[in-house]
Amino acid sequence: MIKVTDESYDKFIKSGDKIKILKLGATWCQPCQMAIPPCNELEKELESEVEIGELDIEESPNVPVTLFCKGVPLFVKFKDGKEISRKVGWPGKQELKNWITSS
């Protein structure tokens, strides 16, 4: 996963033509930590169409506020720099993959 910060957020969601998934989480959040290895696997499996970024809500507090993040993990899907969908909580690898690849 690509490390995303308040400073790199705009560049991440607007660069290239792949769908962007931003995972917002925290080091103290067990489901957030459980999601890291499967997200890395999904990024490899879907690398031709998707980029996955990870933002720590404590290191970069501004983006979570602008995205109205009320719980973590929060997965936000972007296309052409615009939010198209979001999913709160850790749904498991297969459900996350289904969500990522759905239009």
Side-chain angles (χ1 to χ4, degrees), residues 23-38:
K23 173 188 162 287
L24 289 84
T27 54
W28 48 261
C29 167
Q30 192 61 37
C32 299
Q33 298 306 306
M34 285 172 35
I36 292 171

Side-chain angles (χ1 to χ4, degrees), residues 2 8 11 13-14 16-17 21 25-26 31 33 36-37 44 46 48 54-55 60 64-67 78-79 85 87 95:
I2 299 163
S8 65
K11 183 178 179 198
I13 67 164
K14 293 177 181 172
D17 55 0
I21 305 297
Q33 298 306 306
I36 292 171
K44 286 188 181 89
L46 304 169
S48 63
E54 179 178 37
L55 182 135
S60 297
V65 170
T66 61
L67 291 176
F78 296 91
K79 185 169 174 75
S85 182
K87 183 173 267 309
E95 190 178 323

